[in-house]
Amino acid sequence: MTHTLSSFDVAAGRPGPVAGDPIRIEPVPPLRLLRAKKAYTTRFLADRLDRSPDGFSLREGPGVAPQAGDIVLAKVAGIGQHPKLESPVSRRQALFIGDEILVPYGNRYAADQFLAQVPPSLDPCHLVAAGGVAGLVIAQHAAMGTATRITPVGLLADDSGVVNLRQLAPQQLDPTATTTPRDAAPVQRPPVIAVLGTSMNSGKSTALSCLARGLTEAGLAVAAGKATGTGSGNDPGMYVDAGAAKVMDFTDFGFPTTFGLDYASIQAVFSGLVAELSDPATDVVLIEIADGVYQGETHRLLSDPLFRDAVDAVVFTAADALGATAGLQVLRAAGIPIAAVSGVLTSSPIAAQEASAAVNVPVVQTVSLCEPSVAVTLLPQAADG
């Protein structure tokens, strides 16, 4: 069949066919798609397939150049670091060699795991996240095993062209959207607390969830979201379990990961997330920012007036006193108010004591954030008073 570009293809900057690099478009039987294991990141596609699995095709051949968010049908070629794939309902599905899976392409930045990028073709690549991301590993942590290997069959397409997560997402980016400054009047919005940390696995998600629990137990309606990172149901699920009444993240805007996005999209995701969570029924909004303060997107976001206008206070997580001290210096230089230090370091009474002596903000044990009397003291009006 002849390859034509859809309006989404053009908007995404998708290249057209190159002479000598053929692109084949093959119909795909509905049953094949229904049998394929779907990832958490493709949950909106799974919903669509459940309603109607007809009318899809696969774009195959050496002329196919995937983009971030494009959904690929791939076969598992070798089991490695990720032996399971998180399902649309966040169940861990065991993978077997020969399984067909539906996952989106994406870039990944995980200092404790993989650095990966969208490959330029449908050549064999890797499953680089359990939540479902296909990418080509270019660096990895020494403690990681070999990445699970996958062999792409073709990009999923319909009558409009290649199917990208952006088309399926319930939330669409508004590049003109801005957050409401904390001192703006007469517009009212709930206070926003951001949770940041020194690095991956510093305790951000646990701290946010414990804070959500404490504020919920205090009788407040909490909304929680994750603005950056790699798609997975673990963190949003933990927010729900903690009592958050409304939960969203960047995958609701159609991004399997936020690493490698143009900064305007990062801004739009952050602004859109805050706006969607700040409804009249919400008393406080909690936002997690992934990775560490020196990660590219995070570091730029911290210096953005848009972030400073939206965020009323930060809970900062760290693994040790030195990390806490250095992180607070970065936040203060950016003019961001700090409510408390928490995270992994509070698992050690000695480390927590060292941090308390080094910083002039409260050092709060993560589990103590679950206590209503502790959680409410971190609210901006309480901190200001």
Side-chain angles (χ1 to χ4, degrees), residues 175-199:
T176 66
T178 58
T179 55
T180 304
R182 66 172 68 89
D183 56 356
V187 176
Q188 297 295 315
R189 65 162 177 80
V192 176
I193 300 176
V195 180
L196 297 91
T198 52
S199 64

Side-chain angles (χ1 to χ4, degrees), residues 191 193 215 220 312-313 339 362 372-385:
I193 300 176
L215 294 172
L220 300 176
D312 297 289
S373 59
V374 174
V376 295
T377 65
L378 303 188
L379 291 172
Q381 57 266 35
D384 291 345

Side-chain angles (χ1 to χ4, degrees), residues 192-205 207-208 211 225 227-228 270 286-295 297-303 307 311-319 323-324 327-328 330-331 334 336-344:
V192 176
I193 300 176
V195 180
L196 297 91
T198 52
S199 64
M200 183 180 181
N201 295 326
S202 62
K204 298 181 295 295
S205 299
L208 186 148
L211 182 57
T228 62
F270 176 76
L286 306 180
I287 302 287
E288 180 180 351
I289 308 295
D291 303 306
V293 293
Y294 288 139
Q295 194 269 351
E297 288 87 356
T298 301
H299 192 67
R300 188 168 179 184
L301 197 57
L302 294 181
S303 62
F307 183 86
V311 173
D312 297 289
V314 162
V315 172
F316 190 74
T317 65
L328 264 55
V330 172
L331 294 176
I336 298 169
I338 304 149
V341 166
S342 190
V344 172

Side-chain angles (χ1 to χ4, degrees), residues 2-68:
T2 302
H3 175 276
T4 58
L5 291 179
S6 70
S7 59
F8 188 86
D9 289 333
V10 173
R14 193 181 307 285
V18 177
D21 287 339
I23 295 176
R24 300 185 302 276
I25 301 180
E26 302 289 343
V28 57
L31 187 58
R32 187 178 185 184
L33 294 179
L34 292 174
R35 285 178 172 171
K37 291 177 178 175
K38 288 86 176 171
Y40 174 81
T41 50
T42 61
R43 64 193 184 279
F44 303 122
L45 170 67
D47 290 342
R48 178 174 166 182
L49 291 175
D50 285 342
R51 294 193 302 271
S52 177
D54 299 306
F56 289 94
S57 60
L58 293 177
R59 291 196 180 184
E60 311 167 8
V64 177
Q67 306 284 320

Side-chain angles (χ1 to χ4, degrees), residues 23 52 61 95 117 171 212 220 249 267 273 306 316 321 323 333 358 366:
I23 295 176
S52 177
L95 293 175
Q117 63 187 17
Q171 302 294 331
L220 300 176
D249 72 2
Q267 288 178 307
L273 192 62
L306 178 145
F316 190 74
T366 301

